[in-house]
Amino acid sequence: MQEVHDLIIIGGGPGGIGAVVEAKTLGLAKVMLIEKTENHSHTIRKFYKDKKRVDKDWQGQAVELEGNVAFVDGTKESTLDYFNHLLDDELIESRFNCEVQKVKKVDDVFFVETSDGIFQAKNVIVSIGRMGKPNKPSYKIPPSLRSQVGYNLDNCGNGETILVVGGGDSAVEYACELSDSNDVTLNYRGAELLRPNPTNQAIIYEYAKDERVRLKLGIEIDNVESEHGQVRVNFVDGTHELYDRAIYAIGGTTPKDFLKACGITLDERGEPIFDENYESESEGLYIAGDIAFASGGSIAIALNHGYRIVNHILGQHLSQ
Ligand SMILES: Cc1cc2nc3c(=O)[nH]c(=O)nc-3n(C[C@H](O)[C@H](O)[C@H](O)COP(=O)(O)OP(=O)(O)OC[C@H]3O[C@@H](n4cnc5c(N)ncnc54)[C@H](O)[C@@H]3O)c2cc1C
């Protein structure tokens, strides 16, 4: 007979790490964390630039931490170090390089189907984030430009002309980082950069004032094409510019097929349905972290989800 875990957590990002730490601290006995890549926090490793400042109050959302994870402002490296330290507790059973494909409920038990086999649990938290599939523009990217159009800083070199597209914190941080050794333009369809947190807003407008980053605000891109090996960006006002590279930092998509394969019902917008305890319509099946939001989310918010969910599993009812 296979053992039945009290809780299986799918996804080793902040939502999953928060949940696993709370589960251990608050007293769930058999808990397993499953992560598809070779280490925890894949979004942080892949999408954050090295030495990036990590803000607790991301996108200007001030969050009070409720649980037992003492996450503070820091850098990419200090955040990963802290999460390493939390997960190094040998009481935490974690499986890396293990991809969950499906969750099926039979009577009161969930069967979690993975690349390593099937595991059973009384409760499951799905916390796989949105960055598995970054948002792409509505127009087609020509195949010949695939190596020059991206969604993170991979492949970026020095001395290039680069267009960063997006109006949030990630776009601003990418633009400022790249401007140290490249000629960078930041394009956002809104007339002002209101979404980044106050620190990033101050930084980007200072960079623009010092002409370290050019701002191209209030205008949308119509399409992109290849011109003599460069990225030709055609704007809706009929103008165009040539760049060596374009980077889209416009968030991530809801993993609808995966959520459906886990038995989570979606609303008419394709977003997961859950209640104030982050429990889906299937009892014992929860949602944590970025997938609980159509947009937004943050590390601190994801950590709080874990705390709320574990308390709910343990029968503790917290006031909202
Ligand atoms: C460029 C950038 C900068 C940011 N900066 C900040 C910041 O300064 N401060 C802040 O608070 N927030 C920041 N954020 C947002 C923050 O990273 C997210 O809110 C947070 O990572 C969400 O955590 P999560 O656990 O929901 O998802 P994720 O961090 O995306 O983690 C999901 C995990 O699930 C795994 N997974 C996916 N599918 C499967 C599967 N089928 N089976 C098993 N595992 C799977 C993934 O590999 C991944 O490790 C930033 C985001 C970006 C993109």
Side-chain angles (χ1 to χ4, degrees):
M1 273 285 283
Q2 235 210 13
E3 75 171 329
V4 180
H5 293 81
D6 293 312
L7 173 64
I8 287 181
I9 297 155
I10 306 171
I17 294 171
V20 85
V21 170
E22 299 299 349
K24 277 292 149 197
T25 312
L26 298 172
L28 278 172
K30 286 189 216 136
V31 179
M32 187 199 266
L33 174 69
I34 303 180
E35 161 60 43
K36 85 169 169 188
T37 66
E38 62 187 12
N39 213 332
H40 63 88
S41 306
H42 185 63
T43 294
I44 295 179
R45 289 175 205 279
K46 186 173 168 73
F47 289 91
Y48 291 19
K49 61 192 169 66
D50 291 346
K51 305 199 180 66
K52 167 183 148 47
R53 206 189 59 246
V54 174
D55 300 322
K56 183 174 85 50
D57 295 341
W58 173 243
Q59 309 271 33
Q61 312 172 85
V63 181
E64 198 158 318
L65 286 165
E66 299 177 346
N68 295 287
V69 179
F71 166 65
V72 289
D73 288 341
T75 60
K76 170 181 178 176
E77 290 72 18
S78 69
T79 304
L80 289 174
D81 280 352
Y82 179 54
F83 288 162
N84 280 338
H85 156 78
L86 292 175
L87 288 178
D88 277 347
D89 179 344
E90 60 198 25
L91 295 173
I92 291 177
E93 185 185 355
S94 35
R95 270 184 182 263
F96 295 115
N97 284 320
C98 177
E99 178 167 4
V100 174
Q101 286 131 1
K102 196 172 176 180
V103 177
K104 257 198 324 216
K105 191 175 189 185
V106 180
D107 300 327
D108 284 341
V109 177
F110 292 99
F111 290 76
V112 180
E113 299 186 16
T114 78
S115 48
D116 283 1
I118 300 177
F119 302 98
Q120 298 178 31
K122 293 181 206 155
N123 299 282
V124 170
I125 299 177
V126 179
S127 183
I128 66 159
R130 289 174 172 269
M131 296 311 288
K133 270 199 193 156
N135 276 330
K136 303 202 166 149
S138 52
Y139 41 87
K140 187 173 184 269
I141 304 297
S144 61
L145 289 178
R146 267 192 202 136
S147 63
Q148 289 146 274
V149 175
Y151 304 91
N152 54 44
L153 299 185
D154 288 356
N155 304 323
C156 289
N158 298 320
E160 295 184 320
T161 52
I162 302 182
L163 181 70
V164 177
V165 183
D169 284 289
S170 341
V172 163
E173 291 183 0
Y174 280 175
C176 294
E177 161 78 9
L178 289 167
S179 72
D180 285 345
S181 54
N182 297 280
D183 179 339
V184 177
T185 303
L186 176 67
N187 168 237
Y188 178 51
R189 61 181 175 202
E192 275 179 88
L193 291 164
L194 298 174
R195 285 178 40 223
N197 62 32
T199 314
N200 278 333
Q201 282 193 32
I203 291 173
I204 188 65
Y205 282 113
E206 195 176 311
Y207 270 58
K209 193 169 99 259
D210 298 344
E211 298 181 352
R212 293 163 73 185
V213 170
R214 229 182 318 275
L215 295 183
K216 198 165 171 62
L217 304 181
I219 183 150
E220 277 193 72
I221 298 172
D222 189 43
N223 61 67
V224 299
E225 28 183 7
S226 172
E227 185 170 307
H228 307 309
Q230 282 194 297
V231 187
R232 176 181 161 130
V233 179
N234 298 314
F235 294 94
V236 287
D237 64 357
T239 60
H240 74 269
E241 308 262 1
L242 288 174
Y243 300 95
D244 297 319
R245 185 174 298 286
I247 296 168
Y248 291 85
I250 49 178
T253 51
T254 309
K256 289 183 201 156
D257 292 340
F258 183 81
L259 294 176
K260 280 193 220 152
C262 291
I264 293 170
T265 10
L266 306 180
D267 65 18
E268 64 288 348
R269 295 164 308 141
E271 297 299 330
I273 297 174
F274 56 91
D275 65 13
E276 69 279 9
N277 301 305
Y278 304 97
E279 191 174 33
S280 73
E281 293 191 321
S282 170
E283 200 181 332
L285 180 59
Y286 296 84
I287 286 152
D290 278 7
I291 49 166
F293 298 95
S295 65
S298 75
I299 295 174
I301 292 175
L303 294 171
N304 279 351
H305 288 172
Y307 178 69
R308 291 255 152 188
I309 292 169
V310 171
N311 273 291
H312 187 250
I313 292 171
L314 289 165
Q316 315 286 334
H317 295 286
L318 306 174
S319 58
Q320 291 298 309

